[in-house]
């Protein structure tokens, strides 16, 4: 009876769609749709991690309710976003914001998009972000995109830039995770929001209909 009960619970778990703390992933762990709005700042969503989490007594990647310095424009989806503390961390400080692990064994056309804020503060300090990928649970990382500089490329304008990363290399991987690797130049806060990684929902639906 105990074995049967545990088996039934596993089936229910695998069939479910999980959404915990704003972190959304389907039952096969193939897709992440994260807006950071389901947590209480400065906590990260379930399954996400900062590495290292603290440098010199200061946190690295956390969530925040609203943007900082300047406060406008705020998060594309309110109230929260993810931020890296390059405003306070010494130049050269670096940390990754790491996604949960995904299984892309059945994924054919994954996408990776996010919004990245460019601002008008400390323009000579090139705080920046790279995108890394790992197929061995974070033991080793490969840089796949970047750098994405924080200072604005439109004079006098703070805005959210739409960024797309090519992740087609990782199709069919049974274990893959990605990371936002930030590097401080002691300039201003780095802001990230609306992260989508995986097979777009409409393509998943189209595949299901073809079957």
């Amino acid at each position: 009876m105990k074995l049967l009960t545990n088996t039934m619970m596993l089936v229910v778990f695998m069939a479910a769609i999980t959404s915990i703390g704003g972190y959304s992933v389907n039952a096969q762990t193939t897709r992440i749709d994260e807006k950071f709005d389901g947590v209480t700042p400065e906590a990260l969503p379930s399954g996400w991690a900062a590495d290292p989490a603290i440098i010199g007594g200061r946190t690295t990647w956390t969530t925040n309710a609203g943007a900082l310095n300047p406060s406008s424009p705020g998060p594309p989806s309110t109230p929260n976003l993810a931020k890296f503390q390059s405003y306070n961390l010494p130049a050269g400080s670096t940390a990754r914001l790491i996604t949960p692990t995904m299984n892309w064994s059945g994924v054919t056309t994954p996408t990776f998009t996010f919004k990245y804020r460019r601002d008008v503060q400390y323009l000579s300090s090139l705080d920046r972000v790279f995108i890394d990928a790992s197929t061995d649970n974070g033991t080793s990382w490969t840089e796949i995109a970047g750098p994405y500089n924080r200072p604005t490329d439109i004079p006098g304008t703070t805005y959210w830039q739409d960024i797309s990363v090519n992740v087609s290399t990782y199709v069919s991987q049974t274990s893959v995770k990605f990371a936002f690797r930030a590097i401080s130049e002691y300039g201003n806060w780095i802001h990230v929001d609306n992260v989508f990684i995986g097979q777009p929902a409409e393509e998943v639906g189209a595949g299901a209909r073809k079957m």
Side-chain angles (χ1 to χ4, degrees):
M1 177 66 75
K2 189 176 203 177
L3 177 60
L4 179 59
T5 301
N6 288 343
T7 301
M8 291 174 65
M9 290 176 63
L10 179 60
V11 170
V12 171
F13 174 79
M14 292 302 292
I17 292 178
T18 304
S19 180
I20 301 175
Y23 157 56
S24 238
V25 60
N26 70 7
Q28 288 73 44
T29 322
T30 60
R31 187 169 67 252
I32 292 171
D33 189 357
E34 185 55 73
K35 296 179 174 62
F36 305 103
D37 297 326
V39 296
T40 300
E42 298 182 329
L44 294 174
S46 176
W48 290 70
D51 184 28
I54 296 175
I55 295 177
R58 295 186 181 275
T59 54
T60 56
W61 282 101
T62 60
T63 55
N64 196 71
L68 299 169
N69 194 30
S71 59
S72 181
S77 64
T78 57
N80 297 344
L81 46 70
K83 65 173 173 59
F84 175 72
Q85 198 171 175
S86 37
Y87 181 83
N88 291 309
L89 292 172
S93 301
T94 183
R96 290 184 174 95
L97 174 63
I98 303 171
T99 72
T101 302
M102 291 174 285
N103 181 347
W104 279 4
S105 57
V107 170
T108 56
T109 55
T111 63
F112 183 161
T113 59
F114 64 97
K115 289 186 178 290
Y116 184 67
R117 205 174 81 144
R118 311 289 299 273
D119 70 66
V120 298
Q121 306 293 338
Y122 308 102
L123 297 179
S124 63
S125 298
L126 296 182
D127 312 304
R128 56 202 181 275
V129 163
F130 294 84
I131 303 299
D132 295 343
S134 175
T135 57
D136 57 9
N137 200 36
T139 299
S140 61
W141 293 93
T142 300
E143 180 185 303
I144 62 172
Y148 301 110
N149 293 328
R150 173 199 54 77
T152 186
D153 57 350
I154 303 176
T157 303
T158 296
Y159 72 102
W160 285 93
Q161 182 177 14
D162 291 307
I163 294 179
S164 179
V165 179
N166 185 344
V167 289
S168 59
T169 303
Y170 296 93
V171 166
S172 299
Q173 290 287 339
T174 58
S175 176
V176 60
K177 61 174 59 181
F178 298 94
F180 296 85
R181 174 166 49 92
I183 300 177
S184 171
E185 290 299 341
Y186 195 51
N188 201 24
W189 306 88
I190 286 173
H191 299 82
V192 170
D193 206 358
N194 291 21
V195 178
F196 181 89
I197 312 173
Q199 190 103 340
E202 59 272 18
E203 294 184 17
V204 172
R209 286 193 295 273
K210 287 179 183 176
M211 291 176 64

